[in-house]
Amino acid sequence: MKLGIVGLPNVGKSTLFNSLTKAGAESANYPFCTIDPNIGVVAVPDERIRLLGELYHTKKVTPAVIEFVDIAGLVKGASKGEGLGNQFLANIREVDAIVHVVRCFEDPNVVHVDGSIDPLRDIETINLELIFADIEVLERRIAKQGRAANNDKKIAKEVEMLKRLIKHLEDGKGAASFETADEDEEALVSSYNLLTAKPVIYAANVAEDDLADDGASNSFVQMVRDYADKEGSGVFVICAQIEQEIAELDDDEKAMFLEDLGLKESGLDKLIAASYRLLNLMSFLTAGEDECRAWTIRIGTKAPQAAGKIHTDFERGFIKAEVVNYKDLLDCGSLAAAREKGLVGMEGKDYVVQDGDVILFRFNV
């Protein structure tokens, strides 16, 4: 899973990025990987594979991972080259979802780029820049396809749809709400990798005092929640400053620190949960002496396609999947004991994989 982080300058975006990537790297046995200064890879904390690793005395525990892409703070006119943001917008065209950090705290020592705190104005500023960037992509596409449209009905149909889509964006609406006429148009829109077609998770960045009640008493957070509800987006409340402090702690200290604050989970945990919900994702597990590993798939994925996440040969030569729930496996103490109790199923091509399934795939190529 790949998430792009956007926001205005001074909303806590880079603080959040730096703390999330550091915290994520230290929470599991996956090295922090800096591909360049704006990209970080973090492990998805998952107690299940740790426990399975202990059961199997495994040599290696490999969690699922999330790649975060941080772009420079966007300002008005970024799509036209204002500020530094425009040169980085291309970096988030490949992401699965956008994490939009919105400032929901007052602090006279941290200057707001527009002079006051107004989450809805800030959201609109960013959304407009993403819309302008998408319009630019579509206009280039029309320029490329325009001449050929005279002699090719298929291309002519695409150009007509592109004009409709540009009009939709010019009305201030994102590509996610654009209604396509058929599956062909839907496939075309998907192929453009538009920023405004991507699912959004709003990170409401609050002061420490607003964390305990999850921002319930913060009117700015309520504004963001109401806005997100209307467009079907996710929201989670975070204090980037606290996340920075958490990132410096080991697991035991982190647990105590969160307890002192009256919190059950860190911002990273909240973001991962929100991302999985928004993108309809879950994890299945593989376990053995060599490695215990979590694999991220979409909810509703069938066994052969899940096998293909491990290796294309597994999907191509799929025969059966030996499946047991991770809790049953842990309770029984071994796969053999789980088999004896009838808790292990031999599933075929139509089996829909469930969250927490531990699977041994049988295949032949």
Side-chain angles (χ1 to χ4, degrees):
M1 178 162 54
K2 197 171 181 180
L3 303 177
I5 303 181
V6 302
L8 293 168
N10 293 346
V11 297
K13 181 177 61 65
S14 292
T15 302
L16 179 60
F17 170 77
N18 292 335
S19 56
L20 289 181
T21 49
K22 185 169 184 182
E26 291 179 353
S27 66
N29 188 23
Y30 191 91
F32 175 56
C33 170
T34 305
I35 300 163
D36 67 40
N38 302 99
I39 297 179
V41 177
V42 306
V44 175
D46 194 332
E47 182 79 351
R48 300 173 301 185
I49 51 169
R50 184 186 67 77
L51 294 171
L52 288 170
E54 291 173 1
L55 176 67
Y56 280 89
H57 305 291
T58 193
K59 296 171 188 171
K60 186 179 179 185
V61 172
T62 307
V65 296
I66 296 179
E67 185 174 307
F68 287 103
V69 183
D70 180 36
I71 69 169
L74 293 171
V75 293
K76 284 179 184 173
S79 58
K80 302 296 182 189
E82 292 293 326
L84 294 170
N86 184 46
Q87 60 190 294
F88 296 113
L89 278 172
N91 292 351
I92 59 169
R93 289 218 174 267
E94 303 302 320
V95 302
D96 299 301
I98 290 173
V99 179
H100 185 163
V101 184
V102 186
R103 179 168 166 178
C104 294
F105 65 90
E106 301 268 13
D107 186 341
N109 298 315
V110 182
V111 178
H112 190 287
V113 69
D114 287 326
S116 62
I117 309 303
D118 185 341
L120 298 186
R121 178 200 59 209
D122 294 355
I123 288 171
E124 288 300 325
T125 296
I126 297 293
N127 285 351
L128 280 173
E129 293 312 315
L130 299 182
I131 283 172
F132 292 147
D134 281 348
I135 289 173
E136 193 178 322
V137 165
L138 297 175
E139 285 176 341
R140 285 202 302 268
R141 179 75 181 175
I142 286 180
K144 182 181 176 185
Q145 299 287 68
R147 290 179 185 173
N150 295 325
N151 305 312
D152 189 315
K153 287 184 179 177
K154 189 175 180 182
I155 293 176
K157 185 183 175 189
E158 181 188 358
V159 169
E160 184 272 325
M161 185 210 67
L162 284 164
K163 289 176 180 176
R164 283 184 8 244
L165 180 49
I166 287 174
K167 174 68 170 65
H168 181 82
L169 293 170
E170 286 174 341
D171 288 341
K173 302 168 190 170
S177 62
F178 178 69
E179 290 187 14
T180 53
D182 52 38
E183 288 182 2
D184 290 342
E185 285 193 357
E186 194 175 326
L188 277 170
V189 173
S190 179
S191 72
Y192 303 145
N193 250 346
L194 299 175
L195 298 171
T196 60
K198 298 183 185 300
V200 177
I201 305 164
Y202 292 100
N205 188 15
V206 300
E208 181 183 333
D209 293 346
D210 289 325
L211 269 182
D213 68 354
D214 202 36
S217 55
N218 183 314
S219 60
F220 296 137
V221 172
Q222 195 52 53
M223 285 181 197
V224 176
R225 284 186 168 134
D226 291 344
Y227 186 95
D229 282 347
K230 286 174 186 171
E231 65 175 26
S233 297
V235 180
F236 72 105
V237 175
I238 197 165
C239 174
Q241 206 59 49
I242 291 294
E243 290 303 313
Q244 196 168 33
E245 293 178 38
I246 289 173
E248 305 297 328
L249 306 175
D250 63 31
D251 285 349
D252 290 339
E253 290 173 326
K254 175 181 159 185
M256 288 173 62
F257 187 69
L258 289 171
E259 191 177 334
D260 288 344
L261 290 170
L263 302 176
K264 294 179 180 177
E265 55 187 353
S266 70
L268 177 63
D269 298 331
K270 284 183 182 179
L271 174 52
I272 288 169
S275 305
Y276 271 62
R277 280 195 304 272
L278 189 69
L279 295 171
N280 215 26
L281 299 175
M282 66 177 197
S283 296
F284 75 91
L285 315 166
T286 52
E289 290 180 8
D290 289 332
E291 184 182 37
C292 287
R293 183 163 181 167
W295 305 84
T296 303
I297 56 171
R298 290 198 182 279
I299 293 170
T301 299
K302 292 186 177 180
Q305 288 68 49
K309 287 287 288 185
I310 300 173
H311 197 286
T312 52
D313 283 352
F314 283 31
E315 181 174 359
R316 192 159 52 90
F318 179 88
I319 300 172
K320 289 282 182 184
E322 197 168 3
V323 182
V324 60
N325 180 270
Y326 85 97
K327 285 182 183 172
D328 291 337
L329 179 55
L330 290 170
D331 289 345
C332 292
S334 72
L335 189 60
R339 280 197 195 103
E340 283 179 17
K341 290 189 176 181
L343 297 172
V344 181
M346 292 297 288
E347 306 292 351
K349 290 183 178 180
D350 290 330
Y351 176 71
V352 177
V353 176
Q354 302 299 306
D355 188 44
D357 277 350
V358 181
I359 306 180
L360 177 63
F361 291 106
R362 301 191 183 281
F363 70 103
N364 184 31
V365 289

